[in-house]
């Protein structure tokens, strides 16, 4: 064995020894260096809410501080790219939602490949997408909105957290299926998007239930329907777009945890274990349920397979509906 090979063997043995502890705790990571969890959107959106609910417990299980950093921009691509380029040591992670399987096919610049530049850690949760309107708009039900939007093509505006986000795509696919046109108004994050809806600057918005639940309850926005085929137990009275006749429409969101490519398998496994334990914690589970999330845990391998399936699905949907996003 030459000198280079011996060094590699010794290094591999050291890494394995560091990660060999069977239980989570202080032996998992170096105490002096916090884990950075990137949220690629502004505060207030689903990614952000989920991160802040799960990170404290996950950090406790790892014996490690987890620092959340919001890095919005480019439909989530800016913050996600930061993690793709980070050191693959488990100390930089990203909360990635459905948009990572949509963006490659929207005609926008995506500076990474999700299947090449990341190690899947696991699915976290899903959340229904809901169509909400300003309470003073003339349509009070989903059926009324469908009819109104068809009768007034190009006269309705809808907001989203940004170009290429799942909320944006939800609006574009809806307009195609409902044979109408709507003006898309992108914002830098969910908070600003909903703020202008409440102020009456925008007529409707596609948003995660988690991000608008409190505004629905206080009457600041009106919930019209669930942008999918499955009703949510959090608001069982809300009809789905399937109930209204759009049988092939589904814009529900999922969220996952990703690490940079080439992160050691032992580190990925340790992160997955902490993530699953955090999601199963009764206090965390209750908090997520109250905020509109449905737990969706998986192994790293299951998430990898799921991402592959979603890439194929959205490539087909986007091509069939001729959807492109301005750079």
């Amino acid at each position: 064995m030459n000198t280079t090979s011996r060094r590699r063997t010794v290094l591999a043995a050291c890494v394995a020894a560091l990660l060999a502890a069977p239980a989570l705790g202080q032996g998992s990571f170096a105490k002096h260096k916090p884990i950075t969890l990137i949220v690629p959107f502004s505060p207030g959106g689903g990614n952000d809410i989920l991160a802040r609910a799960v990170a404290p417990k996950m950090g406790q299980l790892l014996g490690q501080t987890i620092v959340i950093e919001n890095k919005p921009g480019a439909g989530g691509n800016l913050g996600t790219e930061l993690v793709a380029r980070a050191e693959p040591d488990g100390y930089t992670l990203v909360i990635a939602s459905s948009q990572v399987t949509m963006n490659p096919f929207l005609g926008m610049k995506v500076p990474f490949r999700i299947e090449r530049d990341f190690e899947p850690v696991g699915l976290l949760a899903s959340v229904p997408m809901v169509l909400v309107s300003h309470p003073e708009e003339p349509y009070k039900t989903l059926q009324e909105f469908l009819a109104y939007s068809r009768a007034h093509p190009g006269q309705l505006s809808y907001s989203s957290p940004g170009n290429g986000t799942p909320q944006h795509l939800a609006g574009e696919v809806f307009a195609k299926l409902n044979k109408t046109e709507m003006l898309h108004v992108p914002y830098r994050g969910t908070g600003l998007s909903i703020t202008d809806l409440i102020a009456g600057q925008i007529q409707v918005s596609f948003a995660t239930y988690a991000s608008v639940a409190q505004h629905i309850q206080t009457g600041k926005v009106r919930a019209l329907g669930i942008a999918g085929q499955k009703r949510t137990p959090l608001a069982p009275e809300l009809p789905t777009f399937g109930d209204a006749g759009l049988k092939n429409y589904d814009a529900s969101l999922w969220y996952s945890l990703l690490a940079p490519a080439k992160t050691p398998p032992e580190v990925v496994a340790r992160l997955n274990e902490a993530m699953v334990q955090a999601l199963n914690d009764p206090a965390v589970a209750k908090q997520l349920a109250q905020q509109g999330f449905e737990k969706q845990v998986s192994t790293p391998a299951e998430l990898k397979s799921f991402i592959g399936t979603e890439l194929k699905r959205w490539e087909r949907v986007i091509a069939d509906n001729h959807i492109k996003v301005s750079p």
Side-chain angles (χ1 to χ4, degrees):
M1 181 182 294
N2 59 36
T3 302
T4 300
S5 298
R6 280 197 298 272
R7 287 175 178 171
R8 288 176 178 169
T9 301
V10 171
L11 178 59
C14 290
V15 172
L18 175 65
L19 297 163
L24 297 173
Q26 294 182 354
S28 304
F29 293 89
K31 290 178 64 177
H32 65 279
K33 183 178 179 180
I35 296 171
T36 299
L37 178 56
I38 297 292
V39 174
F41 295 98
S42 299
N47 298 60
D48 185 68
I49 294 170
L50 184 59
R52 295 181 190 281
V54 176
K57 185 62 179 180
M58 191 171 166
Q60 179 186 340
L61 290 164
L62 291 167
Q64 187 68 34
T65 300
I66 298 181
V67 178
I68 297 170
E69 292 188 5
N70 294 86
K71 298 289 185 180
N77 286 335
L78 191 152
T80 308
E81 182 188 11
L82 291 176
V83 179
R85 310 299 176 223
E87 191 72 23
D89 55 8
Y91 288 100
T92 309
L93 309 170
V94 63
I95 295 276
S97 57
S98 308
Q99 97 283 334
V100 295
T101 57
M102 301 171 179
N103 288 354
F105 313 112
L106 289 169
M108 63 195 307
K109 181 181 179 182
V110 180
F112 54 82
R113 286 183 59 186
I114 195 68
E115 66 272 39
R116 179 195 66 196
D117 296 325
F118 294 91
E119 295 294 341
V121 176
L123 274 172
L124 286 161
S126 63
V127 65
M129 191 94 75
V130 60
L131 174 66
V132 290
S133 72
H134 188 273
E136 295 181 7
E137 290 299 316
Y139 30 83
K140 294 180 173 59
T141 68
L142 180 57
Q143 288 286 10
E144 289 178 0
F145 174 76
L146 296 182
Y148 187 94
S149 64
R150 284 194 298 266
H152 299 81
Q155 297 180 33
L156 285 173
S157 59
Y158 76 96
S159 64
S160 83
N163 283 321
T165 60
Q167 292 89 331
H168 172 205
L169 199 59
E172 293 296 308
V173 174
F174 163 76
K176 295 285 185 181
L177 291 177
N178 200 45
K179 297 180 172 57
T180 188
E181 295 179 9
M182 295 196 302
L183 174 66
H184 173 230
V185 183
Y187 287 81
R188 288 181 63 85
T190 298
L192 294 173
S193 170
I194 302 304
T195 296
D196 267 12
L197 174 68
I198 293 172
Q201 302 298 318
I202 302 294
Q203 285 83 51
V204 298
S205 183
F206 289 87
T208 62
Y209 188 85
S211 66
V212 293
Q214 62 175 329
H215 302 308
I216 293 171
Q217 293 162 5
T218 59
K220 291 181 179 179
V221 301
R222 176 185 292 139
L224 297 175
I226 299 296
Q229 304 296 311
K230 180 183 176 183
R231 294 200 180 203
T232 173
L234 295 167
E237 74 283 359
L238 284 182
T240 68
F241 279 51
D243 295 333
L246 298 182
K247 298 300 183 183
N248 297 319
Y249 183 78
D250 188 0
S252 58
L253 270 79
W254 50 264
Y255 299 89
S256 65
L257 188 64
L258 305 178
K262 299 182 181 179
T263 299
E266 297 88 348
V267 173
V268 171
R270 187 61 57 85
L271 290 167
N272 177 270
E273 184 180 358
M275 179 199 76
V276 171
Q277 287 189 22
L279 289 169
N280 287 333
D281 180 79
V284 174
K286 181 179 179 180
Q287 182 181 354
L288 292 179
Q290 289 174 338
Q291 293 175 319
F293 291 97
E294 222 177 283
K295 183 175 65 175
Q296 299 284 346
V297 298
S298 78
T299 65
E302 288 168 342
L303 176 55
K304 183 175 182 177
S305 176
F306 179 69
I307 286 175
T309 299
E310 285 288 280
L311 284 166
K312 292 176 182 177
R313 178 169 83 95
W314 284 111
E315 182 178 20
R316 183 179 64 255
V317 168
I318 292 166
D320 288 350
N321 290 281
H322 309 290
I323 299 169
K324 292 295 179 184
V325 172
S326 300

